[in-house]
Amino acid sequence: MSRLSAITREGRGFTLVELLVAIAVAIILMGCLAAIYSTGAQITGHAMERVEAWREARGVLGLLERDLKHLGMPGAVGNGEARVPLLAISKTAEGGREMQFLAMSADTVGRVRYRCVWNPEGKTWCLKRSWHAGLQGDDAWIEEEVAGHLWDFTIRSGDSGGDNIEYYDRLPPWVEVRFRVVGERVAARLKHLPVTAETWGKVSDPVYRQVIEPCQQEFVLKVRLAMAQKRL
């Protein structure tokens, strides 16, 4: 009889309490693994979106540097031409920034304008570049969009900190351009969210904190114009 009791005790299996404990431990482990996977996927996604932002900005940086290096020299425009600033930095009506300057190539002198404007359809700020093959009139600008998800576009000259500056007879020692940018996938998500022009600069906004801020990249371009000063 005692032998039969021993066999029964050995083959009785798990109790209900043991099963509940095992299930609880399994659930905790699965939750931990899911959290690790979710965090890893999120980090990977943000890294890919930052790479997209870098690709978006790379072309803008190259274009800005090229144009600024061709900035017109003081005295390049003859006395008979209309007096236009060599470099002008100002605010747009929408609250963005605008930079306009004379650019010279081997045989032409024209005006180049960069301005950051709000795109209500895409719910993003964008950077536009315009070219005017002359010194007078405002009806012949050829405009193109060079970046579709770029904002906080600021321009600072080496000898002034104001918002509206014009240089006629001289150039500053350098010009610094700053901006922030996100990639295409972030912009696509924002189209389905309550986004306004103010959202892009409002750090307390949930959309900014959760969607824009983790994937944004900030870029700074500083172009020295010392050679331009020497050619006065």
Side-chain angles (χ1 to χ4, degrees):
M1 190 69 179
S2 59
R3 182 180 179 186
L4 181 60
S5 298
I7 294 173
T8 303
R9 285 197 301 271
E10 290 176 359
R12 65 186 174 86
F14 298 102
T15 65
L16 180 60
V17 174
E18 291 172 335
L19 286 173
L20 291 175
V21 170
I23 291 171
V25 171
I27 291 173
I28 293 172
L29 289 174
M30 290 177 64
C32 292
L33 290 173
I36 292 171
Y37 175 80
S38 176
T39 303
Q42 190 176 39
I43 292 172
T44 302
H46 288 166
M48 293 179 65
E49 286 159 354
R50 285 175 177 269
V51 170
E52 283 186 0
W54 164 245
R55 289 173 180 167
E56 181 95 2
R58 184 172 56 182
V60 176
L61 292 168
L63 196 59
L64 277 165
E65 185 175 16
R66 186 198 69 184
D67 282 344
L68 285 168
K69 284 184 176 180
H70 286 85
L71 198 149
M73 301 298 107
V77 181
N79 296 328
E81 298 284 0
R83 186 166 172 78
V84 295
L86 296 166
L87 172 66
I89 301 170
S90 61
K91 280 187 176 181
T92 65
E94 300 168 311
R97 295 291 188 275
E98 178 176 306
M99 175 172 58
Q100 182 175 317
F101 52 89
L102 292 181
M104 299 179 61
S105 63
D107 54 356
T108 61
V109 177
R111 285 181 287 169
V112 176
R113 180 175 65 196
Y114 283 89
R115 59 194 186 113
C116 193
V117 299
W118 173 247
N119 176 8
E121 295 181 359
K123 296 183 179 180
T124 66
W125 288 89
C126 60
L127 183 66
K128 294 193 174 184
R129 177 187 183 273
S130 306
W131 166 261
H132 191 293
L135 302 179
Q136 300 183 19
D138 287 322
D139 55 350
W141 286 96
I142 301 172
E143 188 171 66
E144 62 177 341
E145 184 177 291
V146 295
H149 329 297
L150 183 151
W151 79 105
D152 200 17
F153 183 73
T154 59
I155 310 108
R156 187 165 64 99
S157 60
D159 55 4
S160 177
D163 289 324
N164 297 284
I165 317 159
E166 291 184 342
Y167 295 90
Y168 285 91
D169 301 312
R170 64 183 182 87
L171 289 172
W174 49 262
V175 173
E176 181 184 89
V177 180
R178 289 176 177 264
F179 59 86
R180 288 183 284 174
V181 64
V182 294
E184 182 66 38
R185 290 193 295 179
V186 174
R189 291 207 302 270
L190 292 172
K191 290 181 181 179
H192 307 289
L193 297 173
V195 177
T196 65
E198 290 75 25
T199 303
W200 289 80
K202 193 174 181 181
V203 294
S204 61
D205 191 290
V207 175
Y208 178 87
R209 292 200 315 268
Q210 298 171 15
V211 181
I212 299 175
E213 188 175 30
C215 307
Q216 70 177 7
Q217 290 271 65
E218 183 177 13
F219 296 89
V220 181
L221 173 66
K222 188 172 184 178
V223 178
R224 296 192 178 276
L225 306 176
M227 292 301 295
Q229 294 282 44
K230 292 178 181 178
R231 294 175 64 177
L232 270 167

